[in-house]
Amino acid sequence: MGRQIGMVCALGGYSVTVWDIDPDMLEQAREELRSRMDRRVEKGTETRAQADSAFERLTFTTELEGPASTADYVIEAVVEKVDVKRDLFARLDRHAPEHAVLATNSSTIVSSRVADATNRPDRVCNMHFFNPALVMQCVEVVRNPQTSDATAETTIELTRRINRTPVVLNKEITGFVANRILHALRDEAIRLYEDGVSSVEDIDTACRTALGHPMGPFELQDLTGLDVGYYVKMARFEESGDPADKPARILVEKFEKGEFGRKSGKGWYDYPKK
Ligand SMILES: NC(=O)c1ccc[n+]([C@@H]2O[C@H](COP(=O)([O-])OP(=O)(O)OC[C@H]3O[C@@H](n4cnc5c(N)ncnc54)[C@H](O)[C@@H]3O)[C@@H](O)[C@H]2O)c1
């Protein structure tokens, strides 16, 4: 996610430093961005000149202090471990200019869990991109109880300047807005199937042809992985203790059988090897 967010910001005209602890990841990032941008130029999404000048604004480094000391805005997208993120926010807080906003792209860690590792909790929020960040329009701007109006406004303005569409959350809730709605839809789809109301195929067809979704909820689960869906439900249940948050019986069965979707050759649908 980090590399694509970096490119989105560079395309928006900003000078961007992409930082990682692992130099191999930076090399991979450079190569992946090169080939993605080549494809976008071929398709006419950007011109060659736009892609080239965005690359000129992008720097890749494993050195944190120097780039942090001149940053106006930092978007963190490291591994989904709260301790790693807290440690990084504390380091960024020590080196970044006082006015700099420190945002996290985390999908599940709300920013108040990292804000108190800094001395600037009012300048911390979630800035949540969707995958693939180069393509997806929406960015959720999530305020924690201490996020200042100025931080929220800066983040909304930045989102617009990088040609994305902000969706503001005035309260920190797990899952944010888009994924909460997606998960509710997915749960209802599974319930309708378990209750014998309709087949997997027909529920997907209803979502595509009546609701205009590009993909049905079962097709989408097969793409993103039933194992991922299972873990998300388990995490929600562990947090809430509410049995309604447990994964559905049929999802547990599929998880235990290793039917994870496209990646395992079988999920809600079969994917015979070519
Ligand atoms: N993958 C998605 O669909 C998606 C969507 C939205 C948000 N996010 C969020 O983006 C963040 C990153 O997710 P991802 O899928 O890009 O993960 P990823 O595993 O692909 O990338 C994580 C990066 O963090 C680096 N890293 C690991 N340990 C580190 C450390 N101690 N310090 C600094 N860097 C470290 C790794 O080298 C790697 O390059 C997560 O917070 C996730 O919730 C992911």
Side-chain angles (χ1 to χ4, degrees):
M1 287 297 286
R3 60 189 69 163
Q4 290 201 35
I5 294 168
M7 183 47 99
V8 168
C9 294
L11 284 166
Y14 289 97
S15 294
V16 181
T17 303
V18 176
W19 172 83
D20 204 294
I21 42 161
D22 182 350
D24 291 344
M25 292 306 276
L26 291 173
E27 201 39 53
Q28 271 184 33
R30 207 193 306 262
E31 279 168 25
E32 186 193 313
L33 289 176
R34 279 269 169 225
S35 73
R36 280 184 187 273
M37 292 309 294
D38 283 349
R39 264 179 279 142
R40 287 169 70 91
V41 169
E42 270 165 36
K43 281 199 325 204
T45 316
E46 274 94 26
T47 63
R48 175 57 66 195
Q50 283 170 324
D52 287 348
S53 69
F55 270 110
E56 279 167 23
R57 288 188 286 274
L58 265 186
T59 314
F60 299 83
T61 183
T62 52
E63 200 254 312
L64 186 76
E65 283 72 19
S69 71
T70 57
D72 296 312
Y73 203 104
V74 181
I75 305 171
E76 168 277 315
V78 300
V79 279
E80 195 68 341
K81 291 184 182 162
V82 72
D83 293 343
V84 174
K85 290 186 191 285
R86 285 180 64 83
D87 180 53
L88 181 57
F89 269 74
R91 285 177 68 193
L92 288 166
D93 186 42
R94 282 198 295 279
H95 298 289
E98 208 179 313
H99 68 268
V101 172
L102 309 180
T104 174
N105 175 52
S106 176
S107 302
T108 61
I109 298 171
V110 290
S111 71
S112 56
R113 295 186 69 196
V114 291
D116 64 356
T118 74
N119 292 309
R120 62 179 90 198
D122 56 316
R123 272 153 289 153
V124 175
C125 65
N126 286 81
M127 186 176 186
H128 182 231
F129 290 77
F130 290 80
N131 194 3
L134 264 167
V135 178
M136 302 301 279
Q137 270 299 307
C138 182
V139 173
E140 289 174 323
V141 177
V142 188
R143 301 179 67 149
N144 76 56
Q146 296 191 74
T147 305
S148 67
D149 289 345
T151 299
E153 281 155 21
T154 300
T155 308
I156 293 165
E157 182 59 23
L158 172 62
T159 304
R160 294 208 173 101
R161 287 196 194 182
I162 57 172
N163 302 309
R164 292 295 178 273
T165 307
V167 167
V168 180
L169 277 77
N170 295 311
K171 289 184 183 174
E172 277 191 331
I173 53 160
T174 47
F176 308 144
V177 165
N179 283 332
R180 281 281 273 256
I181 291 170
L182 179 67
H183 293 158
L185 179 87
R186 184 176 293 178
D187 290 350
E188 189 62 21
I190 293 177
R191 204 169 301 129
L192 290 168
Y193 171 65
E194 270 193 332
D195 288 351
V197 175
S198 273
S199 66
V200 161
E201 290 80 358
D202 279 354
I203 295 168
D204 276 347
T205 302
C207 290
R208 274 190 274 100
T209 60
L211 306 179
H213 295 184
M215 218 184 245
F218 294 106
E219 291 165 320
L220 185 60
Q221 287 175 71
D222 276 358
L223 191 70
T224 54
L226 273 65
D227 51 336
V228 176
Y230 171 86
Y231 288 126
V232 168
K233 293 294 288 182
M234 285 306 285
R236 179 78 58 82
F237 169 60
E238 276 159 24
E239 191 184 291
S240 72
D242 181 352
D245 284 335
K246 274 189 177 171
R249 183 189 46 79
I250 189 147
L251 183 58
V252 176
E253 278 172 23
K254 287 192 167 289
F255 175 80
E256 287 172 351
K257 282 195 266 180
E259 293 177 6
F260 297 157
R262 284 175 183 269
K263 61 179 146 185
S264 69
K266 187 174 169 62
W268 296 106
Y269 296 89
D270 289 334
Y271 303 90
K273 277 204 180 106
K274 293 216 174 83

